């Protein structure tokens, strides 16, 4: 018979089935179940329980009913729990009550269902009153059961229960649930039972076993509820995993003022600070804390009333964090002074907290630096470099009074958007109307998640830092302010009042999740400085160290044995300086043509292009030379000591000329008006431009082809490069210029042009009496160059993949046309999995790259290889570049930090077995030590 159910003390059995892998344990008994099993094993006080496996859930989904043996196994396990607790399920003399809790492999906070207090019936309730002498507690528990059962098992909307309770409280003049007496709750139990009868036409079951069976089934079903499916779609969790069900003895936090329930993070999940953050309530149960209906107390204050339980809790929390080597998100309940732990899991955290915690834990020796780097995602880094509100604008807003409220800073980041007061409208406005939206609610529920994800930011008027809105926002990196109690939301009138200010639905507000500030109107944003983010800088330094470590790649002769370097694409000295500050160790692409477009240079460039003779052309070029020399000078200075790859002119010349159509219009207008002044010059210009017309200019006279037809331009450029390099060297700057020839298709092109350029290089060095390192190389962006790389490498001393053009020409797509016309259709139809202009197509373009590297290094074993297309900043493409033996990737300065992390990830993922083993050994050693200590 298949084992569907595991008892609290059967962690070993689960591990056996899971073949010792903790991941497989989680897959079988769920994250919550695995945590409960683990805590029980470690001697942490956990109420006795048993877990129904995810396999049972999946079998249920297939069969539409419990698989054979499941119910019998549940009953047997329940008997064991009865033995352990000395209580009996359904026995009025000493009734056992249990909760029925969902728990999938990956935590999906609040997305699925849980029912508390199962086992309460009219009979057992009466028995419990006798036993405890606390009728208020019993009927409070009972009404919770009837409500949860009604909503979770019978699908009755929460409002059906909330309304009668509210009305009753109003009638009695009560403000809080705590004002309710035993009689009041008894009355509510009856009302709730009536709700069930009226809405569903059934009676609340008085058979505890029926309750348990239906609750188990409901939890199974909740796996396929709308909000669970939405959540999995948003987080990429597989729909095939299924949920486990945990049946657990109730611990009662609602037995009076000596009882409490709460949740806590072992560190601050928003900032990462090493200080516990949590909330609790006295005399409360279950979701009361996270639901944000009552004002919670900060965890530190627990020490005042329950010092013993507080102490024990702090010790357990610290132990759990050490054991899991990660920030823990725990649930606890104190029943008449006795502490019970109900859940532990790795806490969801913001990008900022993720980085701080990883760095701190590495410094504390809890994890290795490698593990710290592995824990951070490229998205985390991206988030940290995202825009924030401009300080001056904030100061101004404070003065002018557009800063309207301050709430709890629940999830950092700046958001500006139009206000909507419910999830559906927020989603609709964002998706269909392409608006930037801010969702504003009194508080959020699991059904609101789709609206939150679609919004730029979230604002609530109730709840604290562990409320639903806060937890979800942090997980998805959505800026969020909660508990801004000064705002009064009127859902009927679709507006909110903040003192004097009224904000109508659709109006703009700005929400600062970092500070908790909320502004009316739009606040301008700025990009945060990386230097001020000390932990991020540290983490990226570790990432670089991983890449720089020797023997991290199995490399055939000549290939790099270390991980990738990250260089940047930069055209101007200011970009180069930014690239350096972001950690780039080279310039992989400087596009020289940008320099031709500057207003005072363009007329000279045009004169040069239109020149009738070589002499005339050279004269114009001589005027450009000092400008170019200055450009390069600044670049070399900014990159002192690092290589700078300068690409010779690449685009077709018509790009530097006035627009043909516009010029034609001007000429016609002049003719019609009979104006003659300057007409002749314009007519000549028009003729020349017409003469330059090509039907497919991107495949026409450009790149190296242009250099061969008109070598004077690149000759001037090379002279400018080397003169600047020589001047810089004289000033004590270390220069490493690398001259890159674009668009090579055959080595013959290089054979023609390169020696001419090298002669200029030598000449300049001789003139200046100075020597420095330099290289001549080429871009590989035409498939033929990749295919014949072995020959190309005879001339080229380095390769740089221009993956934009290489992708265009390999697929035969023109990028602009493809993205406009058919790429989306192709992705929708599954013809393309990813956009090949964003992520390198490993099977086609990627193979060409791999071939080119292998062939090129046959000729030149130490051939330097890089990539300078946009793919250089894409983590997946970076991994591929590592795998095929690139020396570096080059990307936009803003992507450099992300690329550094991605390069380290690729390096760690693909490190040779020997390197991996050494690390594993260390970890195993550490683990064995711990076990010994425990004993
Ligand atoms: P979720 O996964 O949505 O957090 P849980 O299964 O953890 O759902 O339960 C919801 C709430 O009920 C939590 O606050 C939890 O601590 C509480 N709870 C669940 N089981 C018990 C129990 N046996 N005794 C006391 N509280 C419980
Ligand atoms: Mg819940
Ligand atoms: Mg929970």
């Amino acid at each position: 018979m298949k084992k569907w159910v595991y008892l609290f003390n059967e962690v070993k059995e689960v591990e056996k089935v899971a073949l010792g892998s903790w991941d497989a344990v989680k897959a079988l008994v769920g994250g919550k179940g695995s945590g409960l099993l683990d805590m029980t094993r470690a001697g942490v006080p956990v109420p006795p329980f048993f877990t129904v496996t995810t396999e049972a859930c999946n079998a249920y989904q297939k069969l539409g009913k419990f698989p054979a043996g499941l119910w019998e196994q549940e009953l047997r396990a329940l008997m064991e729990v009865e033995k352990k607790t000395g209580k009996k399920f359904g026995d009025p003399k000493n009734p056992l009550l249990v909760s029925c809790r969902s728990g999938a492999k990956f935590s999906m906070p609040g997305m699925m269902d849980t029912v508390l207090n199962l086992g309460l019936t009219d009979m057992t309730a009466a028995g419990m009153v006798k036993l405890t002498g606390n009728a208020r507690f019993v009927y409070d528990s009972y009404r919770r059961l009837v409500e949860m059962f009604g909503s979770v098992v019978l699908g009755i909307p929460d409002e059906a229960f909330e309304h009668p309770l509210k009305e009753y409280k109003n009638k009695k003049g009560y403000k809080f649930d705590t004002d309710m007496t035993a009689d009041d709750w008894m009355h509510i139990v009856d009302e709730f039972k009536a709700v069930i009868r009226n809405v569903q036409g059934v009676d609340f079951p008085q058979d505890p076993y029926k309750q348990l069976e239906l609750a188990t089934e409901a939890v199974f079903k909740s796996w396929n509820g709308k909000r669970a499916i939405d959540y999995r779609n948003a987080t990429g969790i597989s729909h095939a995993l299924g949920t486990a069900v945990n049946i657990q003895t109730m611990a009662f936090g609602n037995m009076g003022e000596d009882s409490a329930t709460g949740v806590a993070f072992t560190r601050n999940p928003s900032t990462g600070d090493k200080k516990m953050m949590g909330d609790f309530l006295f005399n409360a149960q279950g979701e009361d804390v996270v639901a944000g209906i009552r004002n919670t107390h900060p965890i530190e204050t627990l020490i005042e009333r329950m010092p013993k339980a507080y102490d024990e809790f702090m010790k357990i929390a610290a132990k759990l964090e050490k054991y899991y080597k990660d920030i823990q998100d725990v649930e606890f309940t104190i029943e008449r002074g006795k502490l019970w732990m109900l859940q532990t899991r790795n806490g969801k955290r913001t990008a900022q907290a993720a980085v701080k915690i990883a760095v701190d834990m590495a410094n504390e020796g809890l994890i290795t630096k490698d593990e710290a780097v592995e824990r951070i995602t490229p998205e985390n880094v991206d988030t940290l470099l995202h825009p924030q509100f401009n300080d001056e604008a904030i100061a101004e807003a404070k003065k002018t009074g557009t800063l309207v409220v301050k709430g709890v800073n629940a999830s950092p980041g700046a958001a500006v958007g139009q206000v909507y007061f419910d999830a559906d409208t927020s989603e609709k406005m964002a998706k269909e109307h392409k608006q930037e939206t801010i969702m504003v609610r009194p508080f959020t529920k699991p059904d609101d998640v789709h609206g939150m994800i679609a919004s730029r930011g979230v604002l609530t008027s109730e709840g604290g830092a562990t409320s639903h809105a806060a937890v979800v926002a942090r997980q998805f990196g959505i800026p969020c302010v909660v508990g801004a109690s000064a705002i009064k939301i009127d859902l009927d009138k679709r507006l909110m009042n903040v003192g004097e200010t009224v904000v109508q639905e659709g109006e703009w507000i700005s929400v600062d999740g970092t500070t908790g500030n909320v502004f009316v109107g739009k606040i301008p944003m700025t990009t945060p400085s990386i230097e001020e983010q000390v932990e991020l800088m540290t983490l990226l330094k570790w990432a670089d160290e991983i890449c720089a470590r020797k023997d991290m790649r199995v490399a055939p002769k000549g290939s790099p044995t270390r991980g990738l370097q990250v260089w940047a694409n930069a055209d101007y000295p200011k970009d180069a300086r930014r690239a350096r500050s972001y950690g780039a160790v080279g310039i992989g692409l400087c596009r020289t043509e940008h320099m031709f477009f500057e207003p005072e240079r363009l007329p000279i460039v045009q004169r040069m292009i239109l020149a009738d003779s070589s002499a005339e052309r050279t004269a114009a070029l001589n005027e450009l030379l000092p400008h170019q020399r200055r450009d390069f000078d600044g670049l070399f200075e900014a990159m002192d000591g690092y290589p700078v790859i300068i690409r010779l002119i690449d685009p077709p010349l018509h790009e530097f000329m006035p627009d043909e159509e516009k010029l034609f219009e001007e000429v016609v207008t002049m003719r019609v008006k009979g104006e003659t002044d300057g007409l002749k010059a314009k007519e000549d210009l028009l003729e020349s431009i017409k003469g330059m017309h090509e039907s497919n200019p991107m495949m026409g006279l450009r790149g190296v082809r242009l250099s061969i037809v008109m070598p004077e331009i690149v000759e001037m450029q090379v002279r400018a490069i080397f003169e600047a390099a020589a001047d810089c060297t004289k000033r004590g700057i270390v220069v490493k210029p690398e001259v890159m020839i674009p668009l090579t298709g055959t080595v013959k092109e290089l054979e023609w042009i390169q020696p001419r350029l090298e002669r200029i290089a030598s000449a300049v060095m001789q003139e200046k009496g100075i020597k420095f390192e330099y290289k001549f190389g080429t871009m590989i962006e035409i498939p033929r160059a990749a295919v014949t790389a072995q020959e190309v490498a005879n001339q080229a001393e380095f390769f740089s993949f221009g993956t934009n053009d290489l992708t265009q020409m390999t697929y035969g797509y023109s990028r602009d046309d493809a993205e406009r016309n058919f790429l989306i259709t192709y992705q929708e139809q599954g013809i393309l999995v990813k956009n090949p202009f964003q992520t390198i197509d490993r099977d086609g373009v990627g193979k060409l790259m791999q071939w080119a590297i292998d062939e090129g290094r046959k000729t030149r074993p130490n051939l330097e290889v890089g990539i300078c297309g946009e793919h250089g900043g894409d983590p997946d493409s970076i991994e591929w570049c590592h795998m095929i033996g690139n020396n570096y990737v080059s990307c936009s300065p803003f992507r450099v930090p992300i690329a550094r992390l991605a390069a380290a990830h690729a390096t760690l993922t693909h490190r040779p077995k020997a390197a991996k083993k050494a690390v594993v050994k260390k970890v195993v050693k550490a683990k064995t030590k711990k076990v010994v200590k425990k004993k």
Side-chain angles (χ1 to χ4, degrees):
M1 175 60 71
K2 177 116 192 147
K3 193 162 165 59
W4 304 112
V5 171
Y6 289 89
L7 262 175
F8 53 87
N9 56 6
E10 290 187 321
V11 64
K12 280 252 165 58
E13 281 76 356
V14 184
E15 283 178 328
K16 221 180 280 160
V17 176
L19 302 173
S21 133
W22 196 249
D23 195 62
V25 169
K26 277 185 162 172
L28 185 61
V29 296
K32 196 177 288 165
S34 74
L36 292 172
L37 285 167
D38 226 6
M39 285 198 288
T40 306
R41 165 161 62 187
V44 170
V46 172
F49 67 97
F50 61 87
T51 302
V52 179
T53 65
T54 55
E55 289 178 349
C57 172
N58 289 334
Y60 171 84
Q61 308 292 3
K62 226 189 263 150
L63 300 168
K65 58 173 191 195
F66 282 5
L70 170 57
W71 183 241
E72 291 71 21
Q73 290 182 26
E74 276 202 44
L75 293 178
R76 221 169 306 136
L78 190 62
M79 276 161 63
E80 291 300 320
V81 171
E82 286 175 340
K83 243 191 249 163
K84 179 89 186 169
T85 57
K87 302 179 181 183
K88 260 184 94 56
F89 197 56
D91 177 3
K93 281 199 288 284
N94 189 14
L96 171 69
L97 301 196
V98 297
S99 61
C100 177
R101 321 171 65 188
S102 57
K105 176 175 180 183
F106 302 108
S107 81
M108 300 166 46
M111 291 300 128
M112 286 181 305
D113 292 324
T114 285
V115 183
L116 306 181
N117 308 328
L118 288 163
L120 270 177
T121 61
D122 295 350
M123 295 243 302
T124 53
M128 270 186 93
V129 173
K130 258 195 220 144
L131 199 70
T132 60
N134 189 343
R136 187 193 179 277
F137 148 67
V138 173
Y139 287 99
D140 172 40
S141 303
Y142 197 6
R143 63 94 193 182
R144 289 171 190 268
L145 169 63
V146 179
E147 171 173 357
M148 274 187 262
F149 194 89
S151 91
V152 172
V153 179
L154 301 172
I156 300 169
D158 293 337
E159 292 77 47
F161 298 100
E162 282 162 12
H163 277 303
L165 176 57
K166 213 173 184 179
E167 252 169 54
Y168 185 86
K169 277 172 27 190
N170 282 345
K171 204 174 70 196
K172 289 269 181 168
Y174 295 159
K175 215 167 149 209
F176 301 108
D177 283 2
T178 39
D179 300 332
M180 298 278 285
T181 64
D183 282 345
D184 293 328
W185 284 133
M186 221 191 281
H187 180 85
I188 289 296
V189 168
D190 286 339
E191 280 206 31
F192 282 5
K193 282 186 192 159
V195 168
I196 290 185
R197 211 171 305 120
N198 294 339
V199 179
Q200 290 293 10
V202 293
D203 279 325
F204 172 75
Q206 291 295 325
D207 172 3
Y209 291 96
K210 197 75 208 160
Q211 293 175 3
L212 182 61
E213 185 190 337
L214 291 173
T216 306
E217 190 174 3
V219 171
F220 283 162
K221 280 188 185 151
S222 72
W223 175 255
N224 282 327
K226 176 181 177 325
R227 48 180 215 237
I229 290 175
D230 284 351
Y231 184 91
R232 291 199 295 272
N233 285 338
T235 47
I237 295 175
S238 159
H239 295 298
L241 293 171
T243 180
V245 183
N246 302 284
I247 312 292
Q248 185 166 34
T249 308
M250 284 305 301
F252 298 106
N254 57 338
M255 286 192 88
E257 293 302 308
D258 55 353
S259 302
T261 184
V263 296
F265 290 84
T266 52
R267 300 186 188 213
N268 187 312
S270 184
T271 61
D273 284 342
K274 200 183 170 183
K275 179 167 179 286
M276 178 174 286
M277 189 187 98
D279 301 292
F280 74 97
L281 285 169
F282 291 112
N283 198 13
Q285 189 176 55
E287 305 273 83
D288 292 3
V289 174
V290 282
I293 25 191
R294 262 163 73 191
N295 281 334
T296 55
H297 314 292
I299 191 82
E300 309 85 76
T301 62
L302 183 64
I303 194 168
E304 294 158 17
R305 297 244 305 259
M306 300 181 179
K308 234 188 84 212
Y310 176 81
D311 251 22
E312 189 184 1
F313 175 68
M314 293 306 278
K315 276 198 195 111
I316 289 174
K319 185 170 164 183
L320 288 172
E321 192 185 89
K322 248 198 182 134
Y323 181 76
Y324 288 107
K325 299 168 184 289
D326 205 348
I327 171 184
Q328 294 300 296
D329 165 2
V330 297
E331 292 173 2
F332 66 93
T333 285
I334 297 168
E335 179 180 324
R336 314 198 61 180
K338 158 98 180 111
L339 173 73
W340 293 101
M341 298 300 293
L342 289 163
Q343 191 170 329
T344 189
R345 62 180 167 216
N346 293 344
K348 311 252 184 249
R349 66 208 82 173
T350 63
Q352 187 193 338
V355 171
K356 174 146 176 53
I357 291 169
V359 170
D360 283 354
M361 287 194 164
N363 286 333
E364 289 159 26
L366 219 50
I367 58 175
T368 64
K369 289 178 183 176
D370 288 10
E371 284 169 321
V373 169
E374 269 171 326
R375 277 190 189 176
I376 304 307
T377 63
E379 292 77 29
N380 287 154
V381 177
D382 200 17
T383 307
L384 290 177
L385 298 173
H386 258 147
Q388 294 168 354
F389 289 130
N390 178 325
D391 285 340
E392 285 135 48
I394 289 180
E396 184 61 29
K398 282 182 180 162
K399 254 193 273 158
T400 57
T402 56
L403 167 65
V404 283
V405 273
K406 195 171 166 76
V408 178
N409 50 339
S411 175
V416 178
Q418 290 168 266
V419 169
Y420 291 99
F421 292 111
D422 66 81
D424 289 342
T425 316
S426 301
E427 186 187 40
K428 187 168 151 220
M429 289 305 174
K431 283 202 171 145
E432 288 171 27
H433 299 269
K434 303 279 170 250
Q435 288 187 3
E436 294 174 358
T437 61
I438 306 268
M439 186 173 120
V440 181
R441 295 286 297 170
F443 54 89
T444 67
K445 289 186 176 183
D447 296 328
D448 295 325
V449 172
H450 62 284
M452 298 178 68
I453 296 171
S455 297
R456 292 298 164 120
V458 173
L459 170 63
T460 72
S461 54
E462 298 167 22
T466 52
S467 66
H468 178 265
V471 171
V472 173
R474 279 197 292 273
Q475 176 179 9
F476 290 103
I478 306 163
C480 175
V481 172
V482 297
S485 49
I487 57 176
K488 299 275 168 283
I489 303 170
D490 190 330
L491 292 176
D492 296 327
K493 293 207 187 107
R494 311 301 286 179
L495 55 79
M496 60 179 180
N497 287 293
V498 197
E500 312 281 274
T501 318
V502 178
V503 179
Q504 304 275 353
E505 192 158 51
E507 287 184 353
W508 292 83
I509 61 168
S510 302
V511 171
D512 190 342
T514 313
T515 59
N517 287 332
V518 179
F519 308 85
V520 173
K522 300 189 204 179
I523 302 287
M525 303 201 242
T526 47
T527 311
S529 117
I530 189 170
E531 280 98 343
E532 284 165 20
Q533 304 188 43
V534 183
E535 278 92 12
L536 180 60
M537 295 282 279
T538 306
L539 190 100
L540 291 173
K541 194 183 90 207
W542 293 347
D544 293 345
E545 285 166 8
I546 289 168
C547 293
R549 222 179 278 157
K550 248 204 216 155
D551 298 323
M552 292 300 272
R553 279 198 266 197
V554 235
K557 186 170 145 278
S559 300
T561 64
R562 301 162 195 256
L564 290 169
Q565 289 191 344
V566 178
W567 299 12
N569 301 345
D571 299 341
Y572 301 99
K574 72 171 183 340
D575 301 330
R577 281 191 291 274
R578 184 189 304 279
R580 284 286 304 126
S581 77
Y582 280 10
V585 291
I587 298 295
L589 174 66
C590 163
R591 302 176 191 82
T592 50
E593 54 270 12
H594 283 200
M595 302 165 177
F596 289 178
F597 281 109
E598 292 190 10
E600 78 270 21
R601 303 184 194 178
L602 199 56
I604 315 177
V605 174
Q606 292 174 349
R607 214 175 334 119
M608 179 270 294
I609 294 171
L610 294 173
D612 291 326
S613 66
S614 181
E616 212 179 302
R617 173 161 300 134
T618 309
L621 283 165
N622 281 341
E623 273 184 70
L624 284 174
L625 178 68
H627 291 289
Q628 283 254 283
R629 195 169 49 217
R630 223 175 314 120
D631 298 329
F632 298 139
D633 198 283
L635 213 53
F636 289 135
E637 191 170 325
M639 296 304 293
D640 188 358
Y642 295 100
V644 175
I645 295 187
I646 296 164
R647 181 178 70 182
L648 302 178
I649 188 166
D650 184 48
L653 288 180
H654 77 85
E655 286 194 9
F656 302 103
M657 303 306 283
D659 183 63
E660 187 180 333
E661 259 173 60
K662 233 168 95 200
L663 191 61
F664 178 70
E665 242 171 62
E666 282 174 30
V667 168
V668 171
T669 314
M670 285 179 86
R671 281 184 190 147
V672 171
K673 288 192 180 161
E675 291 170 18
T676 50
D677 234 14
L679 178 61
K680 173 81 174 65
K682 284 209 165 151
E683 284 172 340
D684 288 350
L685 185 58
L686 185 60
E687 257 337 277
S688 317
I689 295 174
K690 271 191 189 153
M692 288 161 62
H693 180 85
E694 292 180 310
S695 55
N696 194 346
M698 293 323 285
M699 301 183 100
L701 184 64
R702 57 174 280 224
V704 68
R705 302 159 200 163
L706 176 64
S707 307
I708 288 170
V709 173
M710 211 181 270
E712 297 89 340
I713 305 176
V714 288
E715 285 168 359
M716 178 279 288
Q717 289 193 304
V718 169
R719 174 161 280 279
I721 293 169
F722 281 82
E723 285 185 357
D727 294 347
C728 283
T729 310
K730 279 188 187 159
R731 299 208 305 273
I733 294 161
V734 177
V735 294
K736 295 181 177 172
E738 302 192 11
V739 180
M740 181 154 77
I741 298 167
L743 224 68
T744 302
T746 152
V747 71
K748 298 273 188 223
E749 289 165 324
L750 295 182
E751 284 168 3
W752 194 96
I753 192 81
Q754 198 173 311
R756 295 170 77 113
L757 301 178
E758 287 189 56
R759 271 199 297 280
I760 296 173
S762 312
V764 174
M765 287 201 283
Q766 211 152 34
E767 283 162 28
K768 302 261 180 184
I770 239 164
K771 273 217 151 88
F772 45 82
E773 268 181 62
Y774 67 92
K775 282 189 183 127
F776 277 83
T778 183
M779 288 188 74
I780 303 286
E781 50 193 332
I782 291 181
R784 193 183 185 285
V787 172
T788 61
Q790 198 178 343
E791 292 154 36
V792 174
N794 273 321
Q795 285 292 322
E797 293 168 298
F798 67 87
F799 285 176
S800 175
F801 292 106
T803 45
N804 296 348
D805 268 317
L806 191 60
T807 301
Q808 293 204 85
M809 292 195 238
T810 302
Y811 268 107
Y813 299 164
S814 119
R815 174 175 187 165
D816 293 342
D817 298 326
E819 289 189 334
R820 209 176 45 233
N821 296 329
F822 60 87
L823 221 54
I824 295 186
T825 312
Y826 267 36
Q827 279 178 269
E828 280 169 1
Q829 297 299 318
I831 294 166
L832 291 174
V833 179
K834 289 181 181 160
N835 178 348
F837 293 105
Q838 276 164 13
T839 299
I840 284 176
D841 150 50
R842 294 187 181 188
D843 298 335
V845 177
K847 277 234 179 81
L848 266 177
M849 294 166 70
Q850 187 174 25
W851 168 269
I853 295 176
D854 292 348
E855 290 291 299
R857 289 203 174 124
K858 280 184 188 162
T859 304
R860 201 183 285 274
N862 289 314
L863 182 72
E864 172 188 288
V865 180
I867 165 181
C868 63
E870 261 165 73
H871 298 92
D874 167 63
D876 190 275
S877 309
I878 290 170
E879 182 185 34
W880 179 248
C881 287
H882 173 90
M883 289 163 70
I884 60 178
N886 268 33
N887 296 77
Y888 68 88
V889 293
S890 184
C891 57
S892 118
F894 288 102
R895 298 289 297 180
V896 165
I898 295 166
R900 287 162 71 194
L901 183 77
H905 284 181
T907 305
L908 289 172
T909 307
H910 297 282
R911 83 191 114 175
K913 291 246 162 54
K916 230 185 232 170
K917 249 193 220 142
V919 175
V920 171
K921 244 195 212 151
K922 252 198 232 153
V923 173
V924 170
K925 241 194 196 156
K927 271 209 175 135
T928 347
K929 243 197 239 150
K930 209 173 60 208
V931 172
V932 173
K933 244 202 308 202
K934 247 198 244 161
K935 283 180 186 162

